[in-house]
Amino acid sequence: MTISETAGAGAPAQRSSRGRLDGKVAVVTGGGSGIGRSVVDRYVAEGARVVVLERDAQGAEELATHGDRVRVVVGDVREHETHARVVEEAVRVFGRLDVHLGNAGVYDYNERIERMPPEELSAAFGEVMDTNVLGLLLGARAAIPELRRTGGTLIFTASSSSTFAGGGGALYVASKHAVAGLVKQLAHELAPEIRVNAVAPGATRTALSGVAPLDSGSRRLADETGLLGAIERTVPLGFVSEPEDHSGIYVMLADHRDSRFMTGVMIASDGGLGVGRRPRRGDRGGI
Ligand SMILES: NC(=O)c1ccc[n+]([C@@H]2O[C@H](COP(=O)([O-])OP(=O)(O)OC[C@H]3O[C@@H](n4cnc5c(N)ncnc54)[C@H](O)[C@@H]3O)[C@@H](O)[C@H]2O)c1
């Protein structure tokens, strides 16, 4: 049976308008909030059907507004069995899998190494690394057989902290640098069948949380007005982004027609951090 014959299996009637992702099926981890939620909304608007893996029950419930175009599995990205269930759900309900986005993540709230209680360091390291790195590896491992079948693609949410220091503490920056390594290595291993790319956002107004061992499990980035204000003053484009500012890039990476010669790439969407801090008014630069 060809790919196009299987495309509609178990699906609701196709919508009449054409979207860039019509007929595609995607998995999005952490799709109940922030950047992931905005990708889910945009993928659906472009005609895709989506299975979301989300640990937060409320975020999962709110996805019901998408009706039968979105299925949700409530679970943890740190568990292999959960990823296997998500991929099975995509194939059972929607007939295939074209795009797997590893996006769920946690932050360390810029905790400096000297301020981390040494007895909590292993637990904090485990939570950040297991969520931000192992979670992506487990998702990729579960998705690869189906992506090989469809000539699909892996996408990760990296960060400006995949390139620069100072946007997080040692745990977050190390975890996001590891994501940059995963993009390169998996692109190398999985070519030519599966493309592997990432979007690297800079500061974005979301509910991004910290981790319990650093006492930041209930913090939300969007509430940190001091931190966000400082970022606005230094980022070259002069504002903190909203989740929707990045979602079109995820569409491009999911759409073979627009990115079929791209693999192993991390696309920055960070307000221009690569050109340095925004000069102050009257500051003519120089050394
Ligand atoms: N907000 C930013 O400034 C920013 C900047 C660069 C990169 N990022 C990255 O973007 C990604 C999405 O974060 P966001 O900012 O949208 O935050 P968010 O908290 O709004 O979204 C993250 C989602 O992942 C879920 N999640 C977290 N841990 C999970 C787990 N173990 N299992 C299942 N689901 C889990 C959360 O419940 C949440 O719904 C993360 O990888 C983050 O590192 C965020």
Side-chain angles (χ1 to χ4, degrees):
M1 197 180 285
T2 65
I3 287 169
S4 59
E5 281 170 326
T6 63
Q14 283 292 313
R15 304 164 334 144
S16 53
S17 63
R18 307 272 318 155
R20 281 169 73 183
L21 302 180
D22 269 346
K24 298 238 190 248
V25 176
V27 162
V28 177
T29 73
S33 171
I35 295 169
R37 172 65 202 245
S38 119
V39 174
V40 173
D41 295 349
R42 185 69 188 272
Y43 276 10
V44 169
E46 295 290 351
R49 287 159 296 162
V50 184
V51 181
V52 171
L53 166 53
E54 172 57 58
R55 72 172 171 185
D56 179 66
Q58 193 192 332
E61 261 172 44
E62 288 168 5
L63 286 159
T65 52
H66 283 303
D68 56 10
R69 300 198 71 83
V70 172
R71 307 282 293 203
V72 187
V73 172
V74 176
D76 197 308
V77 293
R78 294 171 288 181
E79 298 161 358
H80 153 69
E81 303 76 21
T82 309
H83 287 284
R85 206 146 52 82
V86 168
V87 172
E88 271 165 34
E89 184 83 350
V91 174
R92 185 180 65 79
V93 180
F94 297 137
R96 56 190 284 135
L97 178 64
D98 303 278
V99 180
H100 192 284
L101 166 57
N103 164 78
V106 289
Y107 191 44
D108 64 1
Y109 277 90
N110 263 317
E111 196 67 279
R112 297 175 67 85
I113 187 163
E114 288 163 291
R115 286 178 43 89
M116 288 182 215
E119 63 283 6
E120 297 295 341
L121 190 44
S122 290
F125 179 90
E127 196 166 335
V128 174
M129 288 291 176
D130 287 356
T131 309
N132 294 3
V133 187
L134 180 63
L136 303 191
L137 261 178
L138 291 173
R141 181 67 186 83
I144 285 167
E146 288 303 324
L147 295 180
R148 273 200 197 286
R149 252 187 275 285
T150 59
T153 186
L154 279 169
I155 307 174
F156 298 133
T157 298
S159 167
S160 51
S161 291
S162 300
T163 304
F164 304 110
L171 298 181
Y172 187 73
V173 172
S175 76
K176 289 297 182 176
H177 271 64
V179 175
L182 276 188
V183 172
K184 286 185 199 159
Q185 181 60 27
L186 296 188
H188 178 74
E189 282 185 28
L190 300 173
E193 293 89 2
I194 301 175
R195 296 181 302 112
V196 186
N197 296 293
V199 180
T204 311
R205 213 176 303 277
T206 70
L208 186 62
S209 68
V211 292
L214 298 179
D215 273 340
S216 55
S218 55
R219 285 171 78 171
R220 298 170 75 254
L221 188 58
D223 298 334
E224 309 279 330
T225 47
L227 176 61
L228 295 177
I231 291 166
E232 268 170 9
R233 288 190 292 280
T234 52
V235 73
L237 289 181
F239 63 93
V240 168
S241 65
E242 303 298 329
E244 312 76 71
D245 292 324
H246 315 295
S247 51
I249 307 168
Y250 290 89
V251 173
M252 184 197 70
L253 290 177
D255 186 349
H256 195 63
R257 291 167 300 186
D258 288 332
S259 54
R260 76 185 187 107
F261 206 42
M262 292 173 71
T263 197
V265 168
M266 235 176 23
I267 302 177
S269 179
D270 62 7
L273 293 177
V275 297
R277 291 161 65 99
R278 183 152 54 113
R280 292 201 197 91
R281 206 180 286 272
D283 177 358
R284 294 166 53 216
I287 49 171

